[in-house]
Amino acid sequence: MPKILIKTPKEIERIRDCGALAAETLSRAGEMCKPGVATREIDDFVREFTLKNGAIPACLGYKKFPKSVCTSVNEVVTHGIPGTYVLKDGDIINIDVTSILNGYFADTSETFFVGKPKANAEELVATSKECLFEGIRVCNLPNARFSDIGAIISGICEEHGFSVVRDYCGHGTGRAFHEDPTVLHYRQLLPGPKIQQGMVFTIEPMINEGTWKVRTLSDGWTAVTADGKLSAQWEHTIAMTRHGIEILTLAR
Ligand code: MF3
Ligand code: CO
Ligand code: CO
């Protein structure tokens, strides 16, 4: 059984403060995604901006991850390491920002277009965004369970002929980067736990153009699609409050 921590309104306030900074960082990083920009420049920005605002980039040194942010381009599903790669027209890039402010984590990502998007990329990115927001929406239905999230997301993907990544999932967050529960983005046989007041977690569907299968490169981090086709992802940290679901990773 997962041990899902219940957060007090005060703790949720802390995560919201951190979320506002993570969202602001992500939005500014997104504006940098132009042809000719190297992913290490995005990393430099995220590290400096985070530290300047009194926070810590959660990725830096996490399980020996070497950089402050994940930059996942085209067929990279997740955990891309910023470096010498130079963005070019037509690329898609997911930037995944996790900040720690006053001991609390907030985790958010978006997929951005570099220059002019190709039609297939546009459909994939729009679908991954829709999957995130529909996943959030079902949490607000009466008696919602974690398993409802994967059910709605799978349905949306199937309509488009896309697939849902199974090897990486959403997660509880708060005083640790990854807490219970594991939030699956695909359909499950058994109903999951009920989503209750005080629970704080991410939804972060990774949607692939082709197969859902992934493989990890020799750097030990970069996960790519097994068939080399595109992958897109969006992520928010959300909380169940007494007024329903609140997105905590919004810029103010
Ligand atoms: N932000 C990722 C997530 O959504 C985790 C990145 S871990 C890192 O859970 F080490 F790669 F940074
Ligand atoms: Co996450
Ligand atoms: Co993330």
Side-chain angles (χ1 to χ4, degrees), residues 95 98 140 164 215:
I95 301 182
T98 311
N140 267 325
V164 182
R215 67 188 175 86

Side-chain angles (χ1 to χ4, degrees), residues 96-98 106-109 169-173 177-178 202-204 233 235-237:
D96 192 341
V97 173
T98 311
D107 187 5
T108 182
S109 85
C169 304
H171 50 90
T173 194
F177 203 149
H178 297 110
T202 74
I203 302 180
E204 49 182 298
Q233 178 182 24
E235 174 176 23
H236 272 307
T237 298

